[in-house]
């Protein structure tokens, strides 16, 4: 049986939104289901398990500890899971999903800002920013041109990123990552760690991807028209047609894309 919801309203603070300023509700969740208002909310989770549902305005959510659910809505929303194995579901606008406790542009909730756990983060229909951290995270972009990033706190866990439709940017950092840009002209940056980058899977016709493996011993799977930088240790090409040469700069990459389309 689901626990009933109890919400503590700390205060309402005025947001400078020009004429007809809206009132932002500051909400503290104490476990169970926690729902925002139709105003811009600042929602802070408990140290237990919360199911937090933002509503129809610009909301900033910090779930804190526990295995939490964070749901965007009419947004755009800032959803910060922090510690615990969290589940994220963005709304239809351009949202920020982050495991760091300070993902809101001006939101600094109480708490230690610890951000770990094995998290599942799904973008929605907008151009989302999705950022994991420690743990074995799964990041899914959804529709839109999304930016995804993995953790920065060393080599703990393995992050798997999926771009979905749209021209996405998938960026690894300190640890080993797996990336699949899928549909659209995607850019893959492995960063440090031994990464596996698949730019060929579930690809849309006519798209040309960039693969930049970065440091580590990396493996790349790419279509022949994709641009693969020389820092990829192992490269498997798929498909037919001429193979795009490695591009050392963004300008060369753009020229390679144009050439690939001209012959495709």
């Amino acid at each position: 049986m689901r626990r009933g919801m109890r919400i503590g309203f700390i205060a309402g603070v005025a947001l400078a939104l020009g004429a007809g300023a809206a009132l932002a509700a500051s909400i503290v969740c104490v476990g169970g289901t926690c729902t925002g208002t139709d105003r811009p909310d600042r929602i802070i989770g408990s140290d237990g398990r919360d199911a937090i549902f933002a509503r129809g305005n610009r909301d900033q959510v910090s779930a804190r500890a526990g295995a939490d659910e964070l749901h965007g809505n009419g947004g755009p929303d800032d959803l910060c899971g922090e510690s615990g194995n969290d589940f994220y579901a963005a709304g239809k606008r351009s949202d920020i999903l982050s495991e760091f406790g300070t993902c809101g542009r001006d939101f600094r909730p109480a708490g230690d800002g610890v951000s770990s756990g094995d998290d599942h983060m799904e973008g929605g229909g907008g151009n989302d920013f999705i950022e994991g951290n420690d743990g074995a995270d799964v990041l899914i972009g959804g529709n839109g041109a999304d930016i995804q990033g993995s953790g920065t706190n060393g080599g703990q866990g393995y992050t798997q990123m999926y771009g979905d439709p749209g021209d996405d940017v998938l960026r690894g950092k300190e640890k080993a990552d797996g990336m699949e840009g899928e549909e659209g002209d995607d850019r893959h940056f492995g960063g440090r760690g031994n990464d596996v980058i698949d730019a060929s899977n579930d690809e849309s016709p006519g798209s040309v991807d960039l693969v930049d493996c970065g440091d580590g011993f990396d493996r790349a799977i790419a279509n022949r028209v994709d641009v693969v930088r020389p820092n990829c240790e192992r490269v498997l090409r798929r498909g037919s047609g001429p193979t795009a040469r490695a591009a050392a700069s963004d300008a060369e990459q753009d020229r390679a894309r144009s050439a690939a389309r001209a012959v495709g």
Side-chain angles (χ1 to χ4, degrees), residues 45 78 82 91 95 98 112 130 170 177 179 184 194 199 212-213 222 256:
D78 296 347
E82 299 190 67
D95 302 307
S98 177
D112 57 12
I130 306 174
L170 285 66
D177 305 297
M179 304 179 188
N194 302 328
D212 185 332
C213 289

Side-chain angles (χ1 to χ4, degrees), residues 60 78 80 96 100-108:
Q60 295 176 326
D78 296 347
C80 308
I96 295 175
F100 293 85
T102 55
C103 73
R105 291 172 177 80
D106 58 357
F107 188 25
R108 299 294 182 270

Side-chain angles (χ1 to χ4, degrees), residues 60-157:
Q60 295 176 326
V61 177
S62 174
R64 301 187 67 181
D68 305 304
E69 294 182 23
L70 295 82
H71 298 264
N73 201 322
D77 304 308
D78 296 347
L79 308 178
C80 308
E82 299 190 67
S83 58
N85 300 334
D86 303 312
F87 174 86
Y88 296 71
K92 298 178 180 179
R93 301 286 296 278
S94 298
D95 302 307
I96 295 175
L97 284 64
S98 177
E99 271 294 279
F100 293 85
T102 55
C103 73
R105 291 172 177 80
D106 58 357
F107 188 25
R108 299 294 182 270
D112 57 12
V114 175
S115 43
S116 61
D118 301 336
D119 305 299
H120 184 102
M121 311 170 79
E122 293 188 20
N127 301 330
D128 304 309
F129 177 85
I130 306 174
E131 184 176 37
N133 200 6
D134 282 357
D137 302 324
V138 177
L139 282 56
I140 302 174
N143 292 328
D146 306 307
I147 298 175
Q148 301 182 25
S150 70
T152 59
N153 291 347
Q156 304 177 42

